Amino acid sequence: MWDWAFTLEILPALARAAVITVEVTILGFLIALTLGLALAVCRIALPWTRLPISLLVELIRSTPLLIQIFFLYFVGPSFGLTLDAMTTGVLAVGVHYATYCSEVYRAGFESVPRGQWEASVALNLGRATTLRDVIIPQAIPPVVPALGNYLVALFKETPLLSAIAVLELMQTAKIIGSQTFRYTEPITLVGLFFLAMSLVSAWAIRRVEAGINRRYRR
Amino acid sequence: MSEPPMVSFENVTKRYGSLTVLDGLNLTISRGEKVAIIGPSGSGKTTVLRMLMTLETIDGGVIRVEGEPLTHTERQGRLVPANLAHIRKVRAKIGMVFQSFNLFPHMTALHNCMEAPVKVLGLSRAEAEARAADLLEMVGLSNRRDYYPSQLSGGQQQRVAIARALAMRPRVMLFDEVTSALDPELVGEVLQVIRKLGEEHDLTMLMVTHQMGFAREFADRVCFFYEGRICEEGEPKAFFQNPQNERSRQFLRAVLEAG
């Protein structure tokens, strides 16, 4: 049933693919974190952006990620947007999760008491300074766990990129399987890798949380 | 021509929906004057301070600070809404202390007092730190400068909030029920700081307060608000000993009974 020699043989290829998976996750999550914050801040600072952003967020959250990936990769070129598979994947995953993150940030902003805004007005702080120095440092610590959940969720959705042939773990396992007609080892290893990485990231998030709590929450 | 009053409310109206909170308020405060605003809750007294701090918009009339309209500019003899730059310029003359302190919880006492001087006035960190340290000493908290708000008692937090407001060198200080959220034994230390401030500086002060004893000995003038209007105003001694208006008498009786 389980062939250890075969396992050893395919391990290097899977390890290379694992690096791609982690790359997609990190780059995608960086986009999600920064774009999500930008969307949330725009909604607060520029009232006229509220409606278009809500529409965009609703549109992206209400359609499957797989369709967005396909759309960007196969329909994008007819609008002059030609990107390689890896870039497409990172962008699609990043933008998709940015909409979720923006809602998380929004909840964080709403948790900051109104008195903090009022004190900032009374001290004549500018809008940008108020956001940067007063509001954001208080809005983010409480939502770190929620953001961490989305990191793990994003990570677990990266196999969708196999649909546009990004050589991440799932795609690599499928290729190995179709070439050798052995699926047990590659697919199991992929599953184990995701399990291990999810546990590691959950642990890392708890560490970050604890650090932030020490620094900000008093 | 004599110099303009420090603050003047001219026929100022404030509504929330169909509810008129302030109805054609006229109030003039001269330089260095200490005015206590008292009255039952819902009488619009806190709104007066919040409008002057631009935390509330006004629906009619004009507020002037040293003769200059606060949220308007004069163009061809008419008052038009001012831009943010103008509002910030005039607002710089005003500082406020809140009932709920509103200190920045992620900054130490010292940093709370340094943030605005550095970011708004453009002071160097060293200058701002020296100024903040002086003010924390003035409010008796030199030994707490590196504490976070959550590590301070309510009275200490409120004294930091006073120092923080003073660090911007305002001409007018607004105190909005600054002792109402404090345990009774902590009220004294905050009032003492305000008293000291009044003695040592030529600050104009407006305070909404329920501390009748403090209003009586500290204020130059008491304004009694009732249903969005100034019902009675005058020298504290005369007002407290011999209120003229029936509403003021009722209010004072109720307050004194409550102790």
Side-chain angles (χ1 to χ4, degrees):
Chain A
M1 183 74 190
W2 184 273
D3 182 345
W4 283 106
F6 179 59
T7 305
L8 275 179
E9 194 183 315
I10 62 172
L11 218 44
L14 286 178
R16 275 195 299 278
V19 173
I20 303 281
T21 291
V22 170
E23 267 174 21
V24 170
T25 304
I26 291 173
L27 293 175
F29 196 57
L30 284 179
I31 292 177
L33 281 181
T34 47
L35 182 62
L37 183 61
L39 290 175
V41 168
C42 273
R43 264 210 267 231
I44 291 179
L46 308 166
W48 60 269
T49 64
R50 240 167 253 174
L51 185 66
I53 289 177
S54 303
L55 287 175
L56 180 77
V57 167
E58 211 45 55
L59 178 75
I60 293 178
R61 295 210 305 177
S62 307
T63 51
L65 176 55
L66 183 60
I67 290 174
Q68 290 163 18
I69 293 170
F70 267 61
F71 195 86
L72 207 55
Y73 194 59
F74 294 112
V75 185
S78 29
F79 294 99
L81 187 72
T82 313
L83 302 168
D84 64 71
M86 175 78 175
T87 313
T88 306
V90 167
L91 210 60
V93 168
V95 172
H96 187 84
Y97 276 89
T99 59
Y100 286 95
C101 290
S102 83
E103 292 294 308
V104 169
Y105 285 122
R106 189 158 76 141
F109 283 123
E110 278 165 12
S111 75
V112 178
R114 216 170 53 137
Q116 295 291 308
W117 291 93
E118 295 184 346
S120 303
V121 169
L123 291 168
N124 222 0
L125 296 176
R127 285 197 92 121
T129 311
T130 302
L131 275 166
R132 194 185 54 234
D133 292 1
V134 178
I135 305 300
I136 290 177
Q138 295 182 67
I140 291 186
V143 298
V144 166
L147 292 174
N149 286 343
Y150 281 126
L151 168 64
V152 176
L154 182 156
F155 171 65
K156 288 191 297 183
E157 294 230 72
T158 54
L160 285 177
L161 299 193
S162 64
I164 53 168
V166 175
L167 283 174
E168 46 71 65
L169 270 172
M170 193 60 201
Q171 177 69 3
T172 308
K174 281 198 300 195
I175 290 171
I176 293 170
S178 62
Q179 284 167 351
T180 60
F181 302 105
R182 288 199 66 96
Y183 283 94
T184 314
E185 291 84 355
I187 302 292
T188 308
L189 286 176
V190 169
L192 286 175
F193 173 80
F194 273 97
L195 176 65
M197 281 304 286
S198 294
L199 292 176
V200 168
S201 27
W203 170 82
I205 291 159
R206 271 203 303 278
R207 290 291 304 268
V208 171
E209 233 183 286
I212 283 179
N213 280 348
R214 258 202 310 282
R215 193 166 144 72
Y216 285 117
R217 256 204 211 155
R218 295 175 186 271
Chain B
M1 209 177 112
S2 65
E3 61 173 18
M6 194 67 223
V7 175
S8 60
F9 293 83
E10 297 167 14
N11 206 20
V12 174
T13 299
K14 174 71 189 172
R15 291 184 209 95
Y16 292 115
S18 62
L19 178 73
T20 302
V21 185
L22 285 168
D23 188 10
L25 171 70
N26 286 294
L27 177 61
T28 303
I29 297 148
S30 21
R31 194 174 306 272
E33 196 179 9
K34 278 77 175 147
V35 178
I37 298 175
I38 62 171
S41 59
S43 59
K45 50 197 196 315
T46 286
T47 307
V48 174
L49 300 193
R50 291 176 58 82
M51 290 189 312
L52 183 51
M53 196 65 259
T54 71
L55 295 171
E56 303 281 356
T57 54
I58 61 177
D59 298 310
V62 62
I63 301 172
R64 291 176 193 269
V65 179
E66 293 187 309
E68 203 170 2
L70 174 62
T71 55
H72 296 79
T73 40
E74 256 149 331
R75 195 176 295 158
Q76 290 156 359
R78 294 204 2 247
L79 288 174
V80 294
N83 58 21
L84 186 61
H86 170 90
I87 294 173
R88 285 187 73 187
K89 193 185 79 187
V90 182
R91 186 163 69 190
K93 297 174 182 174
I94 301 164
M96 183 161 179
V97 182
F98 300 85
Q99 177 177 352
S100 49
F101 327 137
N102 296 346
L103 289 177
F104 302 137
H106 57 298
M107 298 183 194
T108 61
L110 188 73
H111 285 136
N112 262 283
C113 299
M114 287 170 62
E115 172 69 18
V118 169
K119 295 292 163 64
V120 181
L121 304 180
L123 262 59
S124 74
R125 293 200 73 82
E127 290 170 310
E129 184 174 336
R131 181 183 289 191
D134 280 350
L135 286 164
L136 286 175
E137 192 187 338
M138 201 268 290
V139 301
L141 289 172
S142 286
N143 56 344
R144 294 285 188 276
R145 51 185 270 173
D146 296 322
Y147 284 45
Y148 285 87
S150 61
Q151 299 168 310
L152 299 172
S153 73
Q156 290 170 334
Q157 286 189 57
Q158 196 59 295
R159 281 144 70 196
V160 173
I162 293 172
R164 178 176 73 169
L166 289 173
M168 293 300 281
R169 304 258 161 97
R171 319 284 301 272
V172 183
M173 276 285 275
L174 311 179
F175 296 92
D176 185 13
E177 303 193 26
V178 293
T179 57
S180 297
L182 298 175
D183 290 334
E185 75 272 20
L186 302 176
V187 169
E189 64 188 64
V190 172
L191 293 182
Q192 203 179 339
V193 165
I194 298 175
R195 198 175 287 132
K196 189 163 142 193
L197 210 59
E199 286 161 6
E200 293 175 7
H201 299 263
D202 188 31
L203 268 174
T204 306
M205 296 190 195
L206 242 81
M207 62 189 76
V208 170
T209 184
H210 294 298
Q211 303 287 330
M212 294 304 146
F214 185 69
R216 179 184 189 140
E217 55 146 319
F218 183 73
D220 303 314
R221 174 157 50 129
V222 176
C223 296
F224 174 73
F225 273 69
Y226 190 84
E227 288 182 346
R229 293 170 166 280
I230 297 180
C231 208
E232 181 170 351
E233 63 178 313
E235 257 194 289
K237 226 180 221 160
F239 175 81
F240 284 107
Q241 264 164 16
N242 189 16
Q244 299 299 306
N245 187 290
E246 181 52 33
R247 305 257 185 235
S248 332
R249 277 200 289 269
Q250 271 176 8
F251 176 74
L252 286 179
R253 215 176 302 136
V255 170
L256 292 177
E257 246 169 57

